[in-house]
Amino acid sequence: MPFLTSNNLKLIIVKLNSNLTTPEFLDKTYLPSLDGWRAVAILMVILGHAKLSIQENSIGYKFLETFIYPDLGVRIFFILSGFLITSLLLKELISTGKIILIHFLAKRALRIFPVLYLYTITVFMVSSHYQLNITNVQFLGMLFYYTNFIMFNLPWLCGHTWSLSVEEQFYVLWPIMIYFLKNRIWWCTLLIIVLTQFLRILWYKAGFYIETLGPFFNGADAIFLGSLLSILCFRGVFNSFEKYWLKGYLYLAAIILIFFIYYCTHRGMFGKLLLPLGHIVSDTAIAYLLLATIINTKGLTFKILNNPLMVKLGIISYSLYIWQQLFIIPINFYPNVLPRAAFPFNILISIIAALLSYYGFERYFLNLKKRLKPNIL
């Protein structure tokens, strides 16, 4: 990012108030490396969950406990989602002069609803057969996307849907914000991101988590950061010719910083510093890596992200995120009731289920989604 000298700061402010334009590195129908980032995120999630299916005294558990953080995977998904959705909306706004909300929501519904509803039906049958006592409120939370507000009462098979609820709530709110705030959207987004970091102190010290919409903002701040990254791109703040997109040591520094923050946070270290700053610093580092690997298509990181296996994993990442919860089950979750496969076969079964779901079910709805216009991203 540009060094914030007074001249650079003035130039950024001018650009932030200029007209929207699509930067050349985003002026394409498919953005290389993003499927690779989805693969990184889903690997974090499934390996982090798989840790719970093995004994704590095993080498595998200790390795995963040290290096793998499923909440980091979810934050990557959130930042990706904010960036892509906002880029889609801004391209539509530039191209047509308006945002067709019904088209946007319909495309999001076709992308998200079918697989989740199929999973919910499956979990309902599993719960009924094995008498898992998952309540109607919990099933309704999955169907109507409010499980983030009841997540502390969710059983394992429903627990991961909290993140989908946060995203769906964002999808409803964000186009309306863009429509009404227009040129003010960037500083409103920045304000939400900053205020959420202070809210984390309030939640820790005094509570008021539900009253301040913590179940939404505690995850949505990462989506808003991804959205802000997109806005900055479309306002011309980032120059693709700057050398900081090409520096491998900056990539390494960002990766080390992210993992250092998550390592410390999971162990209660530097709490006074990381409680208000940990998320925003690590999310910013993720955003830098994301944009750098879009702009720089020649580096080692880009090649890794665009490995065919990573791309394939990224393509099925949503299905895999949904179905892995049914097959990667913690040791202590109904141990004498639910059948389960041992690690690493539980991961393999999850991937097979995701492939079947994607190619046998999900792609039908994705093809319907493509028929909706405008289809820009």
Side-chain angles (χ1 to χ4, degrees):
M1 296 78 186
F3 293 107
L4 291 182
T5 63
S6 58
N7 289 335
N8 279 336
L9 188 57
K10 290 177 183 178
L11 180 60
I12 289 173
I13 292 173
V14 170
K15 289 182 176 180
L16 285 171
N17 291 287
S18 63
N19 293 328
L20 291 167
T21 56
T22 304
E24 79 283 354
F25 53 85
L26 295 181
D27 191 16
K28 53 192 73 173
T29 56
Y30 175 72
L31 299 177
S33 82
L34 294 192
D35 279 326
W37 278 113
R38 291 187 182 98
V40 170
I42 195 60
L43 283 172
M44 280 284 171
V45 171
I46 62 175
L47 289 174
H49 287 176
K51 173 189 68 177
L52 303 175
S53 68
I54 56 181
Q55 297 294 333
E56 292 188 10
N57 59 356
S58 66
I59 296 176
Y61 181 94
K62 292 176 181 177
F63 175 85
L64 294 175
E65 175 72 8
T66 303
F67 296 105
I68 303 297
Y69 304 99
D71 47 332
L72 171 56
V74 173
R75 298 294 286 194
I76 293 172
F77 273 129
F78 279 163
I79 294 168
L80 269 171
S81 180
F83 180 79
L84 287 170
I85 290 305
T86 304
S87 297
L88 183 153
L89 290 171
L90 294 181
K91 284 186 176 183
E92 180 178 342
L93 193 59
I94 293 169
S95 176
T96 67
K98 58 184 178 180
I99 293 172
I100 304 175
L101 183 59
I102 190 66
H103 282 172
F104 171 77
L105 293 177
K107 292 175 81 169
R108 290 297 91 203
L110 287 170
R111 179 70 182 95
I112 295 174
F113 287 12
V115 181
L116 178 64
Y117 286 176
L118 180 62
Y119 176 81
T120 303
I121 293 170
T122 304
V123 171
F124 178 80
M125 292 189 294
V126 170
S127 177
S128 299
H129 181 76
Y130 291 103
Q131 299 182 348
L132 302 184
N133 299 318
I134 300 177
T135 66
N136 290 335
V137 171
Q138 291 163 344
F139 279 117
L140 288 172
M142 295 171 69
L143 293 174
F144 294 100
Y145 292 91
Y146 63 82
T147 50
N148 54 324
F149 282 88
I150 59 171
M151 64 180 296
F152 296 111
N153 297 315
L154 289 175
W156 174 259
L157 297 183
C158 309
H160 62 322
T161 62
W162 74 270
S163 63
L164 304 180
S165 297
V166 172
E167 289 207 24
E168 190 61 29
Q169 291 156 17
F170 174 84
Y171 294 155
V172 174
L173 176 65
W174 187 235
I176 299 172
M177 288 179 62
I178 291 178
Y179 177 80
F180 283 105
L181 293 172
K182 294 181 173 64
N183 287 340
R184 294 171 292 173
I185 189 66
W186 71 268
W187 63 258
C188 182
T189 305
L190 180 61
L191 182 64
I192 290 172
I193 294 168
V194 172
L195 284 179
T196 301
Q197 315 316 309
F198 287 102
L199 281 174
R200 286 196 172 93
I201 301 175
L202 175 68
W203 298 331
Y204 179 78
K205 295 287 187 180
F208 301 105
Y209 187 63
I210 298 294
E211 295 82 353
T212 56
L213 300 181
F216 173 69
F217 288 113
N218 197 25
D221 65 319
I223 310 180
F224 280 111
L225 189 139
S227 300
L228 181 60
L229 179 66
S230 175
I231 293 168
L232 295 177
C233 290
F234 280 82
R235 294 290 185 188
V237 171
F238 296 116
N239 185 338
S240 62
F241 297 104
E242 293 290 350
K243 293 181 180 180
Y244 45 74
W245 304 121
L246 308 175
K247 300 295 185 181
Y249 65 84
L250 290 179
Y251 292 19
L252 181 60
I255 292 169
I256 291 173
L257 177 62
I258 292 165
F259 277 92
F260 176 77
I261 288 172
Y262 275 83
Y263 179 90
C264 293
T265 300
H266 278 248
R267 290 156 181 80
M269 301 165 61
F270 308 112
K272 291 182 179 179
L273 181 64
L274 294 182
L275 178 63
L277 297 177
H279 278 301
I280 195 168
V281 172
S282 59
D283 288 351
T284 301
I286 293 168
Y288 162 73
L289 289 170
L290 169 64
L291 191 55
T293 51
I294 290 174
I295 293 173
N296 179 14
T297 59
K298 296 181 180 179
L300 176 63
T301 307
F302 180 87
K303 291 179 181 178
I304 293 172
L305 293 172
N306 282 271
N307 177 279
L309 186 60
M310 293 289 281
V311 171
K312 180 65 70 176
L313 192 59
I315 290 172
I316 65 166
S317 60
Y318 176 60
S319 287
L320 185 52
Y321 183 80
I322 295 293
W323 291 105
Q324 52 82 31
Q325 206 86 355
L326 185 61
F327 302 106
I328 302 175
I329 303 175
I331 291 176
N332 60 357
F333 182 74
Y334 288 101
N336 300 318
V337 177
L338 277 179
R340 66 199 68 204
F343 176 85
F345 298 105
N346 50 5
I347 295 177
L348 178 61
I349 294 171
S350 299
I351 293 173
I352 293 171
L355 287 168
L356 292 173
S357 176
Y358 179 81
Y359 288 104
F361 180 74
E362 185 178 350
R363 281 213 301 184
Y364 171 78
F365 297 96
L366 293 178
N367 289 332
L368 289 179
K369 172 176 169 279
K370 291 177 181 178
R371 297 177 187 176
L372 292 174
K373 301 295 183 181
N375 185 33
I376 298 170
L377 188 61

